[in-house]
Amino acid sequence: MQRSILRRAGALLASLALVGGLAACAESQREPDAGGEGPQGGTFVFAASSDPVMLDPAMASDGETFRVARQIFEGLVSTVPGTTELAPLLATEWSSSDDGLSHSFTLREGVTFHDGTPFDADAVCANFERWYNWTGINQSDNITYYYGKLFRGYKGDDTALYESCAAESPTQVTINLTSPFAAFVQAMTLPAFSMQSPTALEQYNADDTAGTEDDPRFSEYATAHPTGTGPFRFGSWERDQQVTLDRNDEYWGEKAIISQAIIRTISDPTARTQELQQGSIDGYDLVAPADLQPLQDAGFQIQNRPAFNILYLALNQNTPEMKDVRVRRAIAHAIDKDALISQTLPEGTLPATQFMPDMVNGYAEDVTTYDYDPDRARALLAEAGQEDLTIRLAYPTGVSRPYMPTPEDTFVAIQSQLEAVGITIEPVAAQWSPDYLDMVQGEAGQGARDAHFLGWTGDYNDPDNFVGTFFGQQGYEFGFDNPELFDALREARGLPTAEEQIPAYQEINRTIAEFVPGVPLAHPAPSLAFSENVEGYVASPVQDEVWNTVSITE
């Protein structure tokens, strides 16, 4: 029964993602050429909402870094275009042991990194060992977020999930774990676990996060020499302006049709719309809700991603007021989610009751909900002795996110709702990168805000990728220590099959709803816009979009 749930979820995502005519030229995302006319040339110019943080995906957690990384790097596995279903990539086959502790991969032959280094089992092990052996600041959430969250520790940690990597032959590799992780193979679709050239990593000091003179935070590798196996090679990066990528003519698979891709940084949604209308760009992501119909009326193509995401208001229990669950519940009752959606979020957005969308296994229909009830909010504040509560509410500037296309509008809407129940709001605005992310996820920012907006676009269809990422261990963002919840998440994550996990995660979602670490607000439906001459772009629910199938017609 549960397997049919998985299949139905995948089918739903596929049908939603393939809306419009952009998918006509993209039947195969990354399979080898089977003949045809071959590359045609041209430049595809895409507008991003912010600059990449840097270009080493293993040390990133932001979507704009990953947008670029997906063109340069590849992982062992990928997804079928437009879905969350697994597909081969650098590995052609894989299998997992019955106990969930070993995962074996058969690697594609004849693949080389952009610097000529062979891709083989030794290269796979070099990448896993790199992650496992990080020390010092390289273990912090704001540097190596994904590895820390999913692998639960590093060399010498009793909690570490990774045990070893065995290169049994150039094309056979086995990853051994210390405990089961049912979604291990799915997790390998993440850009953070892309395969990178061991030669380039060493040559350009990839792990030296003391940085360079131009960038005191990241390595020379991460800013100037990212080296993968993908259909595009790194060309150049003009900070806060654009990243230029060149077609990899030695690519092992379906070579890119375009000769060059340019990702321009245009933070203002209105400016992105104007640039598309003027013909300066070919497409952009995160279309503002008010711009959708005018663009369609003018003949531009709109493609909607499924709402595989969550926008939430995090409540920071490192501050005294937020330790009281009555205060947290009062804030939840003060928020009118329907009004928030109608005022600031795209058409098709759904209100959220928990920290995952309903298409993810483990979603619970019967969680405690906190319906909009200003009177109940005031009563809970009075009961907690917080009638004069002041909240430092943080929000990002200079960015649009799939789950929050206009952060300032989201802030204004929630501010007015909280003030209506007597809560005083002190705005805390910060530039998205690096200031905002450092403030809400790093140690230094834990005393700088009482609440903040953030969200998540799912990386793969697994409950741990949502609630496990947020609440799997003690961290700075939510600022609480709940060993019972951590244990429940660890046990659920360690169950060897998805079928066994579903009831465990349903109970976890009920527990989270009672605990109220934050307020799940909505599942927004992100939109992309393209000029009429763009073909072959397939929107992905997990943003796993590779541009080798994109073409620009006359």
Side-chain angles (χ1 to χ4, degrees):
M1 178 177 177
Q2 285 82 2
R3 291 189 187 278
S4 66
I5 292 172
L6 282 165
R7 286 195 295 270
R8 287 199 301 272
L12 173 63
L13 290 172
S15 64
L16 289 171
L18 296 176
V19 172
L22 295 178
C25 298
E27 293 181 2
S28 171
Q29 185 178 29
R30 286 179 253 189
E31 286 303 307
D33 260 327
E37 298 179 0
Q40 299 172 14
T43 299
F44 175 57
V45 182
F46 189 91
S49 65
S50 67
D51 221 30
V53 173
M54 43 72 183
L55 301 177
D56 179 350
M59 292 187 169
S61 61
D62 68 294
E64 297 303 349
T65 294
F66 289 160
R67 191 192 306 278
V68 177
R70 283 183 168 100
Q71 317 311 320
I72 300 173
F73 300 100
E74 297 174 307
L76 296 175
V77 293
S78 182
T79 58
V80 176
T83 79
T84 61
E85 301 298 311
L86 283 176
L89 196 50
L90 292 178
T92 59
E93 297 177 336
W94 53 88
S95 62
S96 300
S97 62
D98 291 340
D99 61 7
L101 297 179
S102 296
H103 303 270
S104 297
F105 298 87
T106 300
L107 306 180
R108 196 177 295 276
E109 297 185 52
V111 178
T112 60
F113 291 98
H114 298 157
D115 61 357
T117 300
F119 168 75
D120 55 19
D122 288 336
V124 173
C125 289
N127 277 270
F128 273 89
E129 288 294 311
R130 177 202 181 199
W131 309 328
Y132 180 56
N133 283 280
W134 275 323
T135 59
I137 193 174
N138 287 348
Q139 294 184 2
S140 65
D141 279 358
N142 61 332
I143 300 291
T144 54
Y145 183 84
Y146 275 102
Y147 187 83
K149 291 294 185 184
L150 293 182
F151 284 86
R152 302 296 197 231
Y154 303 84
K155 186 175 182 179
D157 294 340
D158 293 338
T159 57
L161 178 67
Y162 174 79
E163 182 176 83
S164 64
C165 177
E168 295 154 8
S169 76
T171 59
Q172 290 293 136
V173 65
T174 297
I175 310 301
N176 300 303
L177 307 178
T178 60
S179 60
F181 177 19
F184 174 80
V185 177
Q186 286 88 338
M188 293 300 101
T189 64
L190 292 174
F193 305 127
S194 299
M195 295 293 105
Q196 307 194 49
S197 166
T199 303
L201 290 169
E202 181 177 359
Q203 181 178 356
Y204 298 109
N205 302 313
D207 294 332
D208 179 14
T209 50
T212 63
E213 182 177 347
D214 293 331
D215 191 328
R217 192 170 175 217
F218 298 109
S219 69
E220 183 182 1
Y221 175 86
T223 53
H225 300 282
T227 308
T229 62
F232 292 91
R233 298 172 180 264
F234 175 71
S236 63
W237 183 13
E238 301 170 54
R239 295 300 181 86
D240 299 315
Q241 297 295 321
Q242 65 183 39
V243 176
T244 300
L245 306 175
D246 300 319
R247 181 172 61 212
N248 176 16
D249 288 325
E250 284 74 49
Y251 182 52
W252 61 265
E254 183 180 353
K255 294 178 177 58
I257 300 169
I258 55 174
S259 59
Q260 192 175 73
I262 295 174
I263 302 96
R264 289 182 53 193
T265 300
I266 305 176
S267 60
D268 181 61
T270 301
R272 291 198 296 274
T273 303
Q274 292 171 345
E275 294 280 354
L276 181 67
Q277 292 168 330
Q278 294 166 7
S280 302
I281 62 174
D282 299 304
Y284 73 96
D285 204 349
L286 310 180
V287 182
D291 291 332
L292 289 171
Q293 194 60 51
L295 285 172
Q296 284 184 300
D297 292 343
F300 293 97
Q301 302 181 70
I302 299 296
Q303 191 169 172
N304 296 321
R305 282 200 185 95
F308 195 61
N309 57 26
I310 178 68
L311 167 65
Y312 58 80
L313 177 68
L315 304 177
N316 178 18
Q317 293 182 49
N318 280 310
T319 58
E321 294 81 3
M322 293 302 163
K323 291 184 183 297
D324 192 326
V325 71
R326 294 170 297 184
V327 171
R328 304 198 300 271
R329 289 173 177 167
I331 291 170
H333 278 299
I335 293 175
D336 184 345
K337 296 176 185 179
D338 291 333
L340 171 70
I341 291 169
S342 65
Q343 293 167 13
T344 75
L345 296 172
E347 185 177 348
T349 296
L350 300 173
T353 63
Q354 52 208 282
F355 285 84
M356 63 169 65
D358 62 3
M359 64 187 74
V360 177
N361 299 298
Y363 184 91
E365 298 285 354
D366 57 349
V367 298
T368 299
T369 57
Y370 301 89
D371 297 334
Y372 176 54
D373 189 340
D375 291 336
R376 178 61 179 153
R378 294 185 191 95
L380 283 167
L381 290 172
E383 184 180 327
Q386 295 291 345
E387 298 96 326
D388 299 319
L389 179 65
T390 296
I391 291 178
R392 294 165 298 168
L393 180 55
Y395 66 97
T397 61
V399 72
S400 296
R401 306 304 299 147
Y403 47 79
M404 187 169 48
T406 53
E408 291 87 349
D409 293 342
T410 300
F411 167 80
V412 169
I414 296 297
Q415 177 188 32
S416 65
Q417 292 178 9
L418 295 180
E419 288 179 340
V421 300
I423 298 173
T424 300
I425 299 298
E426 292 183 2
V428 180
Q431 189 74 19
W432 173 255
S433 176
D435 301 335
Y436 189 76
L437 291 178
D438 282 352
M439 176 176 63
V440 302
Q441 294 179 338
E443 181 177 5
Q446 61 181 317
R449 61 343 191 250
D450 303 296
H452 66 267
F453 297 102
L454 206 59
W456 185 261
T457 297
D459 299 300
Y460 50 92
N461 193 347
D462 180 71
D464 183 70
N465 186 239
F466 284 90
V467 291
T469 299
F470 305 142
F471 310 122
Q473 59 188 349
Q474 190 172 8
Y476 297 121
E477 182 179 358
F478 293 90
F480 67 82
D481 186 13
N482 187 330
E484 293 81 8
L485 177 59
F486 302 155
D487 288 345
L489 281 161
R490 183 175 61 254
E491 291 169 5
R493 186 175 187 268
L495 294 171
T497 67
E499 289 84 351
E500 295 173 82
Q501 289 182 324
I502 288 175
Y505 278 106
Q506 288 174 334
E507 184 58 32
I508 285 167
N509 276 317
R510 297 182 191 104
T511 299
I512 292 169
E514 290 286 338
F515 184 60
V516 199
V519 183
L521 298 172
H523 305 292
S527 299
L528 302 97
F530 297 93
S531 62
E532 61 182 5
N533 62 339
V534 173
E535 296 181 355
Y537 196 108
V538 183
S540 165
V542 293
Q543 301 185 59
D544 189 9
E545 296 150 10
V546 184
W547 297 346
N548 55 332
T549 60
V550 173
S551 64
I552 309 294
T553 62
E554 292 297 330

